[in-house]
Structure formats: structure tokens, C-alpha cells
């Protein structure tokens, strides 16, 4: 019962879309209306407001970290085992992908997954983030960086801890990340994917709001 309650709480926490909330606070266009229409930090960056993008990134990562940290912090009190931690990790991530507060239309989960990985183990998170940054800086494609990081995350976990139920959770998250980037994969192959920092679509959205 404790695991079920923790999973529900984690899902609700994950359902908080910082991209939408932060954009509204900054008076920006709804990120679901321009660019990739994805409520995430990369799309908010297309608005040209770097502060809003950073806050979105930190907020989405924080909720992933917080859910896992709380589950591990109170593991003994609530008799959580590794399966409970894995379920909580998946629940907060799924909440971000399909948030109940936003008609089940959420982001792609990159920042939240990073927070979850850091919550599980700091070095697991660091290794995955380094992989993302290397690809992002080299090619300027956030989606490509996310795909590479997602593929390597279970590999890093296996190297650090060996196969277990939490590695299964990481693998499921990675598979969902790849699935959520299916359109980006198609755009990359077709040479139509937007690069980091592109503001063209956001500018059009802003003009539409002001007209």
C-alpha cells in the first residue's frame, strides 16, 4: 500500500509542467503552441528567454530528483525495497510525459529523467549528463543528445551497479524517451530538425498572441 501511495504522489508531482507554468509567469507564449509544441526547456529556449528555459530545466529535473530522493530517504520508515524505488522513479517520469493536470499532454522527459538518474545515484546522473552535453555541443541538436544519453543510461547503470530492478526502470525510461522522440528522429533523418537556440517559431507565436 505504501508503494502505491508513493507512486501516486510521484505521478502527481511529475504532472507539474514547469514549461507551461514558467512561461505563463514570464508572459511568454504557451510552449505547446510553437516550435516542437513540446512543453520542455528546449522549446522554451526558442522563445529567446534563457532565464525561463533554465527555470524550466531546473524545475523538471528537480521534481524527478525529489521523488526518488524522498523514496530513498524514507525507505526504512515505509519499508520500500528496490522495486518500490523503481516504481516511484517510473511514476514521476510518466507523470511528466502524461500529466493529469494538462490533459495528459506532457513533455519528452529529458530533464525529469536526468533528475531521476541523479536521485538514484549522482555518478549515474553525471555520466548521462556528460553524454548529453558532448553531443549537444558538438551537433547543436538537443533531440540527438537526448537519444544518445537515453541509450547510454542503462549501460552506465549496469557498469556501476549491475543488472537489477532499478536498471529495468532506467531501461524503460530510456525506451520511452526514444519513443517520445520518434518525430525528432524522422526530422533528423530528413534534415528538418531545429537546432538549439532557434527562435523562428517562437517569434511567430509571440506575434500571433500580440495581434
Amino acid at each position: 500500500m505504501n508503494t502505491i501511495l508513493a507512486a501516486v504522489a510521484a505521478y502527481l508531482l511529475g504532472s507539474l509542467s514547469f514549461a507551461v507554468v514558467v512561461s505563463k509567469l514570464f508572459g511568454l507564449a504557451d510552449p505547446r503552441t510553437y516550435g516542437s509544441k513540446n512543453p520542455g526547456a528546449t522549446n522554451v529556449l526558442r522563445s529567446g528567454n534563457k532565464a525561463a528555459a533554465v527555470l524550466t530545466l531546473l524545475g523538471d529535473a528537480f521534481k524527478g530528483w525529489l521523488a526518488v530522493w524522498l523514496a530513498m530517504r524514507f525507505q526504512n520508515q515505509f519499508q520500500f525495497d528496490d522495486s518500490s524505488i523503481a516504481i516511484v522513479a517510473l511514476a514521476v517520469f510518466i507523470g511528466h510525459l502524461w500529466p493529469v493536470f494538462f490533459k495528459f499532454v506532457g513533455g519528452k522527459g529529458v530533464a525529469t529523467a536526468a533528475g531521476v538518474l541523479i536521485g538514484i545515484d549522482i555518478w549515474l546522473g553525471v555520466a548521462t549528463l556528460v553524454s548529453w552535453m558532448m553531443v549537444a555541443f558538438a551537433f547543436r541538436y538537443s533531440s540527438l543528445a537526448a537519444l544518445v544519453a537515453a541509450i547510454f543510461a542503462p549501460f552506465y547503470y549496469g557498469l556501476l551497479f549491475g543488472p537489477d530492478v532499478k536498471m529495468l526502470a532506467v531501461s524503460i525510461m530510456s525506451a520511452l524517451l526514444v519513443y517520445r522522440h520518434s518525430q525528432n528522429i524522422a526530422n533528423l533523418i530528413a534534415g528538418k530538425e531545429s537546432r538549439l537556440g532557434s527562435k523562428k517559431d517562437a517569434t511567430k507565436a509571440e506575434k500571433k498572441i500580440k495581434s
Side-chain angles (χ1 to χ4, degrees), residues 111 120 134 136 146-147 174 184 186-187:
I120 292 174
M134 289 175 63
L147 289 166
S174 296
N184 300 92
N187 289 341

Side-chain angles (χ1 to χ4, degrees), residues 109-160:
V110 177
T112 303
V116 168
L117 295 177
I118 292 171
I120 292 174
D121 182 80
I122 184 64
W123 295 114
L124 172 63
V126 168
T128 307
L129 284 172
V130 168
S131 297
W132 186 95
M133 288 188 292
M134 289 175 63
V135 177
F137 285 130
F139 298 98
R140 302 291 295 172
Y141 288 116
S142 175
S143 55
L144 179 61
L147 289 166
V148 171
I151 292 170
F152 275 93
F155 173 72
Y156 292 143
Y157 188 98
L159 283 179
L160 289 168

Side-chain angles (χ1 to χ4, degrees), residues 37-203:
K37 294 181 173 57
N38 172 61
T42 301
N43 207 33
V44 172
L45 183 61
R46 293 189 176 104
S47 71
N49 194 313
K50 293 181 180 180
V54 170
L55 284 176
T56 298
L57 177 68
L58 293 177
D60 284 342
F62 176 75
K63 67 186 181 184
W65 171 83
L66 181 63
V68 175
W69 181 82
L70 286 173
M72 296 179 72
R73 171 66 177 78
F74 296 101
Q75 186 170 4
N76 293 330
Q77 291 90 323
F78 293 103
Q79 298 180 329
F80 291 152
D81 55 14
D82 283 349
S83 295
S84 301
I85 305 300
I87 290 171
V88 166
L90 279 175
V92 69
F93 180 71
I94 289 172
H96 179 81
L97 300 188
W98 294 286
V100 67
F101 303 130
F102 296 93
K103 300 180 180 180
F104 303 101
V105 179
K108 295 175 182 175
V110 177
T112 303
V116 168
L117 295 177
I118 292 171
I120 292 174
D121 182 80
I122 184 64
W123 295 114
L124 172 63
V126 168
T128 307
L129 284 172
V130 168
S131 297
W132 186 95
M133 288 188 292
M134 289 175 63
V135 177
F137 285 130
F139 298 98
R140 302 291 295 172
Y141 288 116
S142 175
S143 55
L144 179 61
L147 289 166
V148 171
I151 292 170
F152 275 93
F155 173 72
Y156 292 143
Y157 188 98
L159 283 179
L160 289 168
F161 308 108
D164 59 19
V165 68
K166 286 188 282 189
M167 181 178 174
L168 176 61
V170 172
S171 299
I172 292 172
M173 284 197 304
S174 296
L176 287 172
L177 274 169
V178 173
Y179 166 72
R180 294 289 282 191
H181 283 80
S182 56
Q183 184 58 54
N184 300 92
I185 295 172
N187 289 341
L188 284 166
I189 294 172
K192 298 178 180 179
E193 183 72 350
S194 297
R195 292 180 182 270
L196 282 166
S198 173
K199 296 190 276 186
K200 180 175 64 175
D201 292 324
T203 300

